[in-house]
Amino acid sequence: MGNHTGNKVTIVSADGHVSPPVPTVIKYFEPILRAHVDDLIRQDVSYIGNRATPARPPRKQFEVFDDRGLVAGGGEFGASDPKIRLQQMDAEGIAGDLLLPGTQVSITPFFFPVNAPCAPEIRAAGARAYHRWLADFISEGDGRLFGVAEPGPCVDMDETIAELEWCAANGFVSVAPPLNTNDRDLPPLYDPYYERFWAACADLGLVLNAHAGWGTDQTPMSTWVPAHKLGDGEETGGHDFEAIHKAMQEKDSPIRMFLQMPRRPLWQLMASGVFDRHPTLKLALTEIRADWVPDTIAHLEAKFQELQPPCARTPREYYADNILMVPSCPHRSEAEMRKEIGIEQFGFGQDFPHWEGTWPNTKPWLQHAFGDCTESELRAILGGNTMRFYGLPQAHLDAVADRIGFEVDEILGEHPVSDALLQQMNRRSGYLRSADPVYTDELDRMIEPDLRGASLAFAAGD
């Protein structure tokens, strides 16, 4: 895929979020869900009112970060209104956006980890209702919005594949791997049980997308992530971010374990030979940072050599051909590590409308993080890699960028960003913190059983 030949930078966010208001999504409910409407309304009221919910902007800080009034004007409702979404994208220079579920605007209908525990048939029906709402949302997006589907409970694989086919025909380009919402009755991803799922995704061109929170049990948001309950500060929107960032440096801390869980599909799919059998299948790892990648890939090389899982290639080879990293709201340290992470494996995520994301400060964020890039690096990381990886319509998105995007020299070079804004970005996202350490013994508690499990699963099915 060639670079955009104009002078505007085509920015595509590979991590945006949406959520349907309860009164709206009810219109898409099948009969099996209609008896559960009151329960969903109660969950929604609790979810919206809970200060543990991410992305509740601190009004005391508006003058620092919201000089254009995007937040004060209700821009976050672009999570449920496509017209507002396009307005916010235009204001931030975003040509295209991949849409994943989960925002502070409303609860998801039954299928997501933040919901109270639900039976598989209810989760499956909730995911179908969400997909149909999102397809209508996408249809109003001027060809700039792209869906990331839910896999559903994957108990009935015929039903699961039929839904993947429907999604691929209705504006979706991606799907979360199975066990996005954990089900302890199902096997790990390296098990042959999921072979039909991988084959369908490869045939349909659906990219796998493991986002932060993958593999989490259904639990109400108030108890979902321990780090979300660390603080109640007005300046941080109910988060004690300093404690969260400190915890990310500490081995075995709960927040580290939470963010490392979505990394497991990386080596589980490699080790079980999924990418050998389906070489066009791709996996994006989203909003789980990327500073860990160089040391982790090196460690995986050693562990694969030691344990010899049933795959034909090395982790580094799979990483180069099948993986995209999307460290949403990228840290300065990750931008500095871009060559070690891999220029062609690095994508950008705005994380709209979440408070830790770059909205409403995308331009100064990119100026500070990527101002020392080459132009080719900038274009690849901010949009080119994502368009290639997901097969998005580059000509159309380039044309949008020509209308609403930033000039190359608006990002590259020296651009002053106020210290007050930098500190505020750091408080909400850890933007200025150093790369988090990689503890190999901590990793091995996940990697070793997964590689041994892949070998046993392969032997059992051989």
Side-chain angles (χ1 to χ4, degrees), residues 103-127:
T103 76
Q104 77 279 15
V105 172
S106 56
I107 193 74
T108 43
F110 305 110
F111 63 83
F112 213 46
V114 298
N115 292 106
C118 297
E121 62 271 20
I122 300 299
R123 287 191 279 130

Side-chain angles (χ1 to χ4, degrees), residues 36-371:
H36 300 273
V37 169
D38 288 346
D39 182 49
L40 187 64
I41 292 171
R42 284 191 293 270
Q43 289 186 45
D44 189 54
V45 170
S46 175
Y47 178 75
I48 294 173
N50 193 328
R51 284 190 60 83
T53 303
R56 201 164 293 286
R59 293 186 177 276
K60 277 187 174 182
Q61 295 284 307
F62 271 23
E63 64 183 40
V64 174
F65 71 88
D66 193 32
D67 57 321
R68 294 176 295 162
L70 299 183
V71 179
E76 67 185 83
F77 291 101
S80 57
D81 184 318
K83 293 184 176 62
I84 297 175
R85 182 54 158 260
L86 292 179
Q87 291 168 0
Q88 298 302 309
M89 290 169 66
D90 287 357
E92 292 278 85
I94 306 292
D97 204 358
L98 272 79
L99 308 179
L100 296 102
T103 76
Q104 77 279 15
V105 172
S106 56
I107 193 74
T108 43
F110 305 110
F111 63 83
F112 213 46
V114 298
N115 292 106
C118 297
E121 62 271 20
I122 300 299
R123 287 191 279 130
R128 288 192 294 270
Y130 168 75
H131 291 156
R132 280 138 188 84
W133 170 83
L134 183 53
D136 285 347
F137 188 102
I138 291 168
S139 72
E140 298 183 47
D142 188 31
R144 300 169 60 184
L145 304 176
F146 309 95
V148 179
E150 281 300 298
C154 296
V155 173
D156 182 332
M157 199 57 74
D158 288 337
E159 178 184 89
T160 299
I161 302 305
E163 186 65 8
L164 291 178
E165 293 170 345
W166 187 93
C167 288
N170 286 277
F172 292 77
V173 298
S174 181
V175 62
L179 305 179
N180 192 38
T181 296
N182 192 34
D183 187 332
R184 296 170 187 267
D185 292 330
L186 292 180
L189 295 187
Y190 52 71
D191 195 276
Y193 177 83
Y194 301 103
E195 185 61 23
R196 289 183 60 201
F197 189 96
W198 311 134
C201 289
D203 290 344
L204 295 167
L206 292 173
V207 172
L208 302 171
N209 193 317
H211 187 276
W214 178 89
T216 307
D217 294 330
Q218 281 198 313
T219 315
M221 188 69 191
S222 58
T223 57
W224 187 43
V225 185
H228 283 171
K229 300 194 296 180
L230 288 174
D232 194 31
E234 180 64 27
E235 291 192 358
T236 58
H239 297 56
D240 184 347
F241 280 115
E242 289 187 8
I244 293 173
H245 304 327
K246 182 180 178 182
M248 282 302 298
Q249 305 280 325
E250 298 172 353
K251 186 166 66 171
D252 296 332
S253 69
I255 189 65
R256 276 182 66 89
M257 296 299 99
F258 169 73
L259 287 178
Q260 288 194 85
M261 182 63 70
R263 301 174 189 176
R264 295 186 87 161
L266 176 73
W267 56 77
Q268 289 181 339
L269 296 185
M270 290 177 176
S272 55
V274 169
F275 294 129
D276 299 326
R277 296 188 297 277
H278 309 287
T280 62
L281 188 64
K282 298 175 182 178
L283 169 67
L285 299 174
T286 308
E287 203 181 345
I288 55 174
R289 307 270 46 98
D291 50 12
W292 55 274
V293 166
D295 286 348
T296 300
I297 293 296
H299 187 62
L300 286 172
E301 289 275 305
K303 297 308 291 187
F304 275 51
Q305 183 67 29
E306 174 191 347
L307 297 178
Q308 295 290 306
C311 57
R313 305 172 71 199
T314 69
R316 202 172 298 280
E317 290 171 327
Y318 293 124
Y319 180 73
D321 290 344
N322 301 90
I323 307 299
L324 181 72
M325 297 305 306
V326 184
S328 307
C329 44
H331 292 175
R332 177 60 194 167
S333 61
E334 290 166 324
E336 292 170 346
M337 296 172 64
R338 60 188 179 272
K339 291 182 180 178
E340 293 91 336
I341 293 167
I343 298 298
E344 294 185 354
Q345 285 73 46
F346 200 139
F348 166 71
Q350 188 192 31
D351 200 25
F352 176 92
H354 291 169
W355 177 229
E356 63 268 29
T358 68
W359 177 76
N361 311 119
T362 298
K363 184 177 179 180
W365 200 300
L366 298 180
Q367 288 172 332
H368 194 270
F370 296 107

